[in-house]
Amino acid sequence: MKDKPKSEFTGVIHGGQHLDPSYGGVSVPIYQSSTFAFKNAAQGAARFAGKEKGYIYTRIGNPTISALENSVAFLENGYGGMATSSGMSALTTILIAFLDKNSHMIGTEAVYGPSRMVVESELSRFGIEYDYIDTSDIKNIEAHLRPNTRLLFLETPANPTIILSDIRACADLAKKKGIPLVVDNTFSSPVLQKPLDLGADVVMHSLTKFLNGHSDVVGGIIVPKTEELFKRLRKVLTLMGGTMDPHQAWLVLRGIKTLALRVEKSQENAIKLAQFLENHPQVKWVNYPGLPSHPQHDLAKKQMKGFGSMLCFGLQGGYDAGRKMIDAVKLCTLAVSLGGVESLIQHPASMTHAGVPKEKREKAGISDDLIRISVGCEGYEDLKDDLEQALAQTA
Ligand SMILES: *Cc1c(COP(=O)(O)O)cnc(C)c1O
């Protein structure tokens, strides 16, 4: 399918897809082959020279992986997709493609923990400079720009604070300064937010989360807006070798078919749960973009098509009550990760963000009492009952 459908429900099933040319398989076959035979020397030479379309070697490209790449590129309105072995591999490919020795990047302060750690503890060894700051304030970004700034990296909504950054305003600033804007769109999925349409240059995902949706695969993807960026990133990815495996690609592609359905159901649950928690006497605060109390509720309405299913909250009893609560849940699973059909609950300060020093955590709004829930596709009444009984045990 090439034309834009009216509905995301159609796009996730048909977008960028075509029937298997060999036998017409409705589901794309798993081409579990590391290499592809050439008919003759001339064909091999033509493929390497890029004069003939076709496959050479799976680190460079593979039909099953291409089907996944085309699907996500279609959903994100990008030039093309590059599937990677993990979300972190998508990120490191982007960082290596855009940053040189002594160049500087600006990133969202409250990001996925390892996204920040890889820069602070590893890329810094190669002379890369960085500032992880509150990117919800455009003036703050402007104040941190340096002559050697080469990358603006946003995560919105951010993990785990669910704070938003204004993609269009950041894109305008980045354009003015000639810096690429990269957005980690993992928390929304393309069904709810399309950063490239808002002016971003590159979007990335951890496919492990909403796109795959079943907590059974780790993967990532990069989707740039232009051919030029695609070529640059593709070159780095094939050289660095963070390629996805065909079987992994097939599973994610299968998951994407139900992305719109899963997002709709989990979001419906999240809205109700956020309201339930906000009105619960033991809950001190709730952060969910769909609540009018969220400081960026209006921005969420402007740049997202829905508020998603990630929320965080703190209890009156603070850290200890929070720990008691996550030990008391029965239906929600105590686990990191997100975006699966099952609801997951976790405590970032002692789990996903334990590697970020406490002062930096607190400055980024990741308070010790913060509990994050990735709301799944179970029935709302069952989820509410579970949280209610767990809250009762913390009183
Ligand atoms: C999980 C996650 C990543 C990293 O992805 P992996 O697939 O675990 O490597 C990056 N960004 C965000 C927002 C994530 O949630």
Side-chain angles (χ1 to χ4, degrees), residues 85-91 111-115 153 155 157-159 184-187 204-209 217-220 337-338 372:
S85 57
S86 66
M88 285 309 294
S89 171
L91 176 70
V111 273
Y112 184 71
S115 298
F153 178 79
E155 191 177 292
N159 183 4
D184 184 336
N185 202 25
T186 300
F187 267 41
M204 64 156 276
H205 285 276
S206 166
L207 295 173
T208 316
K209 317 294 167 53
V217 182
V218 169
S337 195
L338 56 113
R372 188 189 82 179

Side-chain angles (χ1 to χ4, degrees), residues 17-34:
Q17 302 304 300
H18 50 75
L19 291 179
D20 166 48
S22 308
Y23 296 104
V26 170
S27 161
V28 65
I30 306 173
Y31 284 92
Q32 196 73 44
S33 184
S34 60

Side-chain angles (χ1 to χ4, degrees), residues 165-184:
S165 296
D166 186 332
I167 298 173
R168 191 175 295 281
C170 289
D172 289 346
L173 176 65
K175 214 144 268 149
K176 212 166 76 192
K177 302 287 175 188
I179 304 166
L181 171 65
V182 177
V183 177
D184 184 336

